[in-house]
Short mmCIF file of all heavy atoms in Angstrom, two decimals:
data_model
loop_
_atom_site.label_atom_id
_atom_site.label_comp_id
_atom_site.label_asym_id
_atom_site.label_seq_id
_atom_site.Cartn_x
_atom_site.Cartn_y
_atom_site.Cartn_z
N LEU B 985 -86.05 -10.47 -157.77
CA LEU B 985 -85.78 -11.30 -158.91
C LEU B 985 -84.56 -10.84 -159.66
O LEU B 985 -83.73 -11.62 -160.05
CB LEU B 985 -86.97 -11.32 -159.87
CG LEU B 985 -88.25 -11.99 -159.30
CD1 LEU B 985 -89.44 -11.71 -160.23
CD2 LEU B 985 -87.99 -13.51 -159.27
N MET B 986 -84.46 -9.53 -159.84
CA MET B 986 -83.36 -9.00 -160.59
C MET B 986 -82.05 -9.20 -159.82
O MET B 986 -81.04 -9.53 -160.41
CB MET B 986 -83.58 -7.49 -160.79
CG MET B 986 -82.53 -6.84 -161.61
SD MET B 986 -83.26 -5.81 -162.85
CE MET B 986 -81.82 -5.36 -163.75
N ALA B 987 -82.08 -9.00 -158.51
CA ALA B 987 -80.89 -9.18 -157.71
C ALA B 987 -80.41 -10.63 -157.85
O ALA B 987 -79.23 -10.90 -158.07
CB ALA B 987 -81.17 -8.87 -156.25
N ALA B 988 -81.35 -11.58 -157.72
CA ALA B 988 -80.96 -12.98 -157.87
C ALA B 988 -80.46 -13.31 -159.26
O ALA B 988 -79.47 -13.99 -159.38
CB ALA B 988 -82.14 -13.87 -157.48
N ALA B 989 -81.19 -12.81 -160.25
CA ALA B 989 -80.78 -13.15 -161.62
C ALA B 989 -79.42 -12.57 -161.93
O ALA B 989 -78.57 -13.22 -162.57
CB ALA B 989 -81.83 -12.60 -162.60
N MET B 990 -79.14 -11.37 -161.47
CA MET B 990 -77.85 -10.75 -161.74
C MET B 990 -76.72 -11.51 -161.06
O MET B 990 -75.69 -11.84 -161.67
CB MET B 990 -77.83 -9.29 -161.28
CG MET B 990 -78.31 -8.31 -162.33
SD MET B 990 -78.61 -6.68 -161.65
CE MET B 990 -76.95 -6.07 -161.44
N THR B 991 -76.93 -11.80 -159.77
CA THR B 991 -75.88 -12.54 -159.04
C THR B 991 -75.62 -13.89 -159.69
O THR B 991 -74.50 -14.29 -159.87
CB THR B 991 -76.33 -12.80 -157.58
OG1 THR B 991 -77.08 -11.68 -157.10
CG2 THR B 991 -75.17 -13.09 -156.69
N SER B 992 -76.73 -14.53 -160.04
CA SER B 992 -76.59 -15.84 -160.62
C SER B 992 -75.82 -15.78 -161.95
O SER B 992 -74.96 -16.61 -162.23
CB SER B 992 -78.00 -16.39 -160.86
OG SER B 992 -78.09 -17.31 -161.88
N LYS B 993 -76.13 -14.80 -162.77
CA LYS B 993 -75.43 -14.70 -164.04
C LYS B 993 -73.96 -14.42 -163.84
O LYS B 993 -73.09 -14.98 -164.45
CB LYS B 993 -76.07 -13.66 -164.93
CG LYS B 993 -75.49 -13.66 -166.35
CD LYS B 993 -76.24 -12.72 -167.25
CE LYS B 993 -75.39 -12.29 -168.43
NZ LYS B 993 -74.93 -13.40 -169.26
N TRP B 994 -73.67 -13.44 -162.93
CA TRP B 994 -72.24 -13.13 -162.69
C TRP B 994 -71.50 -14.35 -162.17
O TRP B 994 -70.41 -14.64 -162.61
CB TRP B 994 -72.13 -11.98 -161.68
CG TRP B 994 -72.46 -10.68 -162.31
CD1 TRP B 994 -72.44 -10.33 -163.60
CD2 TRP B 994 -72.87 -9.49 -161.59
NE1 TRP B 994 -72.79 -9.01 -163.77
CE2 TRP B 994 -73.09 -8.48 -162.56
CE3 TRP B 994 -73.09 -9.19 -160.29
CZ2 TRP B 994 -73.50 -7.17 -162.25
CZ3 TRP B 994 -73.49 -7.86 -159.94
CH2 TRP B 994 -73.68 -6.92 -160.88
N MET B 995 -72.13 -15.01 -161.24
CA MET B 995 -71.49 -16.22 -160.62
C MET B 995 -71.22 -17.24 -161.70
O MET B 995 -70.10 -17.78 -161.80
CB MET B 995 -72.51 -16.77 -159.59
CG MET B 995 -71.93 -17.78 -158.65
SD MET B 995 -70.83 -17.00 -157.51
CE MET B 995 -69.62 -18.33 -157.31
N ALA B 996 -72.25 -17.57 -162.45
CA ALA B 996 -72.09 -18.60 -163.44
C ALA B 996 -71.11 -18.19 -164.54
O ALA B 996 -70.27 -19.03 -164.98
CB ALA B 996 -73.45 -18.92 -164.04
N ASP B 997 -71.13 -16.95 -164.93
CA ASP B 997 -70.21 -16.47 -165.95
C ASP B 997 -68.80 -16.54 -165.50
O ASP B 997 -67.88 -16.72 -166.29
CB ASP B 997 -70.58 -15.03 -166.35
CG ASP B 997 -71.66 -14.96 -167.41
OD1 ASP B 997 -72.06 -16.04 -167.87
OD2 ASP B 997 -72.10 -13.86 -167.72
N ALA B 998 -68.60 -16.35 -164.17
CA ALA B 998 -67.22 -16.41 -163.64
C ALA B 998 -66.67 -17.77 -163.80
O ALA B 998 -65.45 -17.98 -163.93
CB ALA B 998 -67.23 -15.96 -162.17
N ILE B 999 -67.53 -18.79 -163.76
CA ILE B 999 -67.05 -20.18 -163.85
C ILE B 999 -66.99 -20.62 -165.33
O ILE B 999 -66.00 -21.22 -165.74
CB ILE B 999 -67.97 -21.13 -163.08
CG1 ILE B 999 -68.01 -20.65 -161.59
CG2 ILE B 999 -67.48 -22.58 -163.16
CD1 ILE B 999 -68.97 -21.41 -160.72
N GLY B 1000 -67.97 -20.32 -166.07
CA GLY B 1000 -67.93 -20.68 -167.50
C GLY B 1000 -68.80 -19.73 -168.27
O GLY B 1000 -69.94 -19.43 -167.89
N ARG B 1001 -68.29 -19.25 -169.40
CA ARG B 1001 -69.00 -18.20 -170.12
C ARG B 1001 -70.31 -18.66 -170.80
O ARG B 1001 -71.19 -17.86 -170.97
CB ARG B 1001 -68.09 -17.59 -171.23
CG ARG B 1001 -66.91 -16.85 -170.71
CD ARG B 1001 -67.26 -15.55 -170.00
NE ARG B 1001 -67.92 -14.56 -170.82
CZ ARG B 1001 -68.48 -13.45 -170.38
NH1 ARG B 1001 -68.49 -13.19 -169.10
NH2 ARG B 1001 -69.08 -12.60 -171.22
N GLU B 1002 -70.35 -19.90 -171.17
CA GLU B 1002 -71.46 -20.32 -172.02
C GLU B 1002 -72.72 -20.75 -171.23
O GLU B 1002 -72.59 -21.43 -170.23
CB GLU B 1002 -71.05 -21.52 -172.85
CG GLU B 1002 -70.07 -21.21 -173.97
CD GLU B 1002 -69.59 -22.46 -174.64
OE1 GLU B 1002 -69.41 -23.46 -173.96
OE2 GLU B 1002 -69.46 -22.43 -175.87
N GLY B 1003 -73.87 -20.39 -171.78
CA GLY B 1003 -75.11 -20.94 -171.28
C GLY B 1003 -75.26 -22.35 -171.86
O GLY B 1003 -74.51 -22.78 -172.72
N ILE B 1004 -76.29 -23.05 -171.37
CA ILE B 1004 -76.49 -24.45 -171.78
C ILE B 1004 -76.71 -24.56 -173.29
O ILE B 1004 -76.20 -25.47 -173.91
CB ILE B 1004 -77.62 -25.10 -170.96
CG1 ILE B 1004 -77.75 -26.59 -171.27
CG2 ILE B 1004 -78.94 -24.39 -171.19
CD1 ILE B 1004 -76.68 -27.43 -170.65
N TYR B 1005 -77.40 -23.58 -173.88
CA TYR B 1005 -77.71 -23.72 -175.27
C TYR B 1005 -76.47 -23.52 -176.09
O TYR B 1005 -76.23 -24.25 -177.05
CB TYR B 1005 -78.81 -22.73 -175.65
CG TYR B 1005 -80.07 -22.93 -174.92
CD1 TYR B 1005 -80.69 -21.89 -174.23
CD2 TYR B 1005 -80.66 -24.19 -174.79
CE1 TYR B 1005 -81.85 -22.08 -173.49
CE2 TYR B 1005 -81.81 -24.42 -174.07
CZ TYR B 1005 -82.41 -23.34 -173.42
OH TYR B 1005 -83.53 -23.58 -172.67
N ASP B 1006 -75.70 -22.53 -175.72
CA ASP B 1006 -74.42 -22.30 -176.46
C ASP B 1006 -73.48 -23.48 -176.31
O ASP B 1006 -72.82 -23.85 -177.27
CB ASP B 1006 -73.76 -21.01 -175.98
CG ASP B 1006 -74.60 -19.80 -176.34
OD1 ASP B 1006 -75.30 -19.85 -177.35
OD2 ASP B 1006 -74.56 -18.79 -175.60
N ALA B 1007 -73.49 -24.06 -175.11
CA ALA B 1007 -72.64 -25.20 -174.89
C ALA B 1007 -73.05 -26.36 -175.78
O ALA B 1007 -72.20 -27.05 -176.34
CB ALA B 1007 -72.68 -25.60 -173.43
N HIS B 1008 -74.31 -26.57 -175.95
CA HIS B 1008 -74.81 -27.65 -176.78
C HIS B 1008 -74.52 -27.32 -178.26
O HIS B 1008 -74.27 -28.23 -179.00
CB HIS B 1008 -76.29 -27.92 -176.56
CG HIS B 1008 -76.47 -28.93 -175.45
ND1 HIS B 1008 -76.54 -30.30 -175.73
CD2 HIS B 1008 -76.57 -28.81 -174.14
CE1 HIS B 1008 -76.70 -30.92 -174.57
NE2 HIS B 1008 -76.74 -30.05 -173.57
N ILE B 1009 -74.63 -26.06 -178.59
CA ILE B 1009 -74.30 -25.70 -180.00
C ILE B 1009 -72.85 -26.04 -180.27
O ILE B 1009 -72.53 -26.63 -181.31
CB ILE B 1009 -74.56 -24.19 -180.23
CG1 ILE B 1009 -76.06 -23.94 -180.32
CG2 ILE B 1009 -73.86 -23.69 -181.44
CD1 ILE B 1009 -76.44 -22.48 -180.42
N ARG B 1010 -71.95 -25.72 -179.34
CA ARG B 1010 -70.57 -25.97 -179.56
C ARG B 1010 -70.28 -27.49 -179.55
O ARG B 1010 -69.56 -28.00 -180.38
CB ARG B 1010 -69.71 -25.27 -178.48
CG ARG B 1010 -68.24 -25.27 -178.84
CD ARG B 1010 -67.51 -24.20 -178.04
NE ARG B 1010 -67.69 -24.35 -176.60
CZ ARG B 1010 -67.13 -25.35 -175.89
NH1 ARG B 1010 -66.37 -26.22 -176.46
NH2 ARG B 1010 -67.38 -25.42 -174.60
N LEU B 1011 -70.98 -28.17 -178.64
CA LEU B 1011 -70.80 -29.65 -178.61
C LEU B 1011 -71.14 -30.27 -179.92
O LEU B 1011 -70.47 -31.23 -180.35
CB LEU B 1011 -71.72 -30.19 -177.50
CG LEU B 1011 -71.70 -31.69 -177.24
CD1 LEU B 1011 -70.38 -32.10 -176.60
CD2 LEU B 1011 -72.83 -32.16 -176.41
N ASN B 1012 -72.18 -29.76 -180.53
CA ASN B 1012 -72.65 -30.36 -181.77
C ASN B 1012 -71.96 -29.81 -183.02
O ASN B 1012 -72.22 -30.17 -184.14
CB ASN B 1012 -74.15 -30.19 -181.94
CG ASN B 1012 -74.91 -31.02 -180.91
OD1 ASN B 1012 -74.49 -32.18 -180.65
ND2 ASN B 1012 -75.92 -30.50 -180.29
N GLY B 1013 -71.12 -28.77 -182.81
CA GLY B 1013 -70.37 -28.22 -183.93
C GLY B 1013 -71.20 -27.45 -184.92
O GLY B 1013 -70.83 -27.34 -186.10
N TYR B 1014 -72.30 -26.87 -184.47
CA TYR B 1014 -73.06 -26.03 -185.41
C TYR B 1014 -72.34 -24.77 -185.72
O TYR B 1014 -71.63 -24.18 -184.88
CB TYR B 1014 -74.43 -25.69 -184.82
CG TYR B 1014 -75.31 -26.85 -184.48
CD1 TYR B 1014 -75.99 -26.95 -183.32
CD2 TYR B 1014 -75.49 -27.87 -185.41
CE1 TYR B 1014 -76.81 -27.99 -182.98
CE2 TYR B 1014 -76.28 -28.96 -185.13
CZ TYR B 1014 -76.95 -29.01 -183.91
OH TYR B 1014 -77.74 -30.05 -183.62
N PRO B 1015 -72.51 -24.29 -186.94
CA PRO B 1015 -71.84 -23.07 -187.33
C PRO B 1015 -72.56 -21.82 -186.82
O PRO B 1015 -73.25 -21.15 -187.58
CB PRO B 1015 -71.87 -23.10 -188.84
CG PRO B 1015 -73.08 -23.87 -189.18
CD PRO B 1015 -73.31 -24.81 -188.02
N PHE B 1016 -72.45 -21.55 -185.56
CA PHE B 1016 -73.21 -20.46 -184.90
C PHE B 1016 -72.21 -19.39 -184.48
O PHE B 1016 -71.33 -19.68 -183.67
CB PHE B 1016 -74.03 -20.96 -183.78
CG PHE B 1016 -74.81 -19.90 -183.09
CD1 PHE B 1016 -75.99 -19.46 -183.69
CD2 PHE B 1016 -74.44 -19.42 -181.89
CE1 PHE B 1016 -76.73 -18.48 -183.08
CE2 PHE B 1016 -75.19 -18.37 -181.28
CZ PHE B 1016 -76.36 -17.96 -181.84
N LEU B 1017 -72.37 -18.24 -185.04
CA LEU B 1017 -71.48 -17.11 -184.67
C LEU B 1017 -72.16 -16.33 -183.59
O LEU B 1017 -73.08 -15.53 -183.86
CB LEU B 1017 -71.21 -16.30 -185.91
CG LEU B 1017 -70.09 -15.29 -185.88
CD1 LEU B 1017 -68.79 -15.92 -185.48
CD2 LEU B 1017 -69.94 -14.62 -187.21
N GLU B 1018 -71.72 -16.50 -182.38
CA GLU B 1018 -72.31 -15.84 -181.22
C GLU B 1018 -72.37 -14.31 -181.39
O GLU B 1018 -71.34 -13.69 -181.64
CB GLU B 1018 -71.55 -16.19 -179.95
CG GLU B 1018 -72.06 -15.64 -178.69
CD GLU B 1018 -73.50 -15.96 -178.45
OE1 GLU B 1018 -73.85 -17.13 -178.24
OE2 GLU B 1018 -74.33 -15.02 -178.54
N ALA B 1019 -73.55 -13.74 -181.27
CA ALA B 1019 -73.67 -12.33 -181.51
C ALA B 1019 -73.37 -11.53 -180.21
O ALA B 1019 -73.11 -10.35 -180.27
CB ALA B 1019 -75.08 -12.00 -182.03
N LYS B 1020 -73.41 -12.20 -179.07
CA LYS B 1020 -73.27 -11.44 -177.85
C LYS B 1020 -71.83 -11.29 -177.40
O LYS B 1020 -71.47 -10.29 -176.85
CB LYS B 1020 -74.10 -12.11 -176.74
CG LYS B 1020 -75.55 -11.72 -176.73
CD LYS B 1020 -76.31 -12.43 -175.69
CE LYS B 1020 -77.13 -13.57 -176.30
NZ LYS B 1020 -77.90 -14.35 -175.35
N GLU B 1021 -71.07 -12.34 -177.63
CA GLU B 1021 -69.67 -12.34 -177.18
C GLU B 1021 -68.84 -11.35 -178.02
O GLU B 1021 -68.96 -11.35 -179.26
CB GLU B 1021 -69.05 -13.71 -177.31
CG GLU B 1021 -69.43 -14.67 -176.22
CD GLU B 1021 -68.99 -14.18 -174.88
OE1 GLU B 1021 -67.80 -13.93 -174.69
OE2 GLU B 1021 -69.86 -14.00 -174.01
N GLU B 1022 -68.07 -10.57 -177.38
CA GLU B 1022 -67.13 -9.71 -178.07
C GLU B 1022 -65.95 -10.56 -178.56
O GLU B 1022 -65.47 -11.41 -177.82
CB GLU B 1022 -66.61 -8.62 -177.17
CG GLU B 1022 -67.65 -7.64 -176.72
CD GLU B 1022 -67.73 -6.44 -177.68
OE1 GLU B 1022 -66.73 -5.87 -178.01
OE2 GLU B 1022 -68.90 -6.13 -178.06
N PHE B 1023 -65.51 -10.29 -179.79
CA PHE B 1023 -64.28 -10.94 -180.23
C PHE B 1023 -63.13 -10.15 -179.69
O PHE B 1023 -62.96 -9.00 -179.95
CB PHE B 1023 -64.24 -10.94 -181.74
CG PHE B 1023 -63.02 -11.57 -182.35
CD1 PHE B 1023 -62.97 -12.93 -182.56
CD2 PHE B 1023 -61.94 -10.82 -182.69
CE1 PHE B 1023 -61.84 -13.52 -183.07
CE2 PHE B 1023 -60.81 -11.39 -183.22
CZ PHE B 1023 -60.78 -12.74 -183.45
#
Side-chain angles (χ1 to χ4, degrees):
Chain B
L985 291 169
M986 183 134 187
M990 271 169 74
T991 323
S992 153
K993 187 173 157 62
W994 284 338
M995 192 72 213
D997 276 353
I999 302 175
R1001 292 292 297 171
E1002 288 174 323
I1004 185 75
Y1005 302 128
D1006 293 331
H1008 272 269
I1009 285 174
R1010 193 161 55 73
L1011 180 72
N1012 292 319
Y1014 297 135
F1016 181 76
L1017 192 55
E1018 180 55 67
K1020 274 177 260 178
E1021 281 299 303
E1022 294 270 310
F1023 179 85

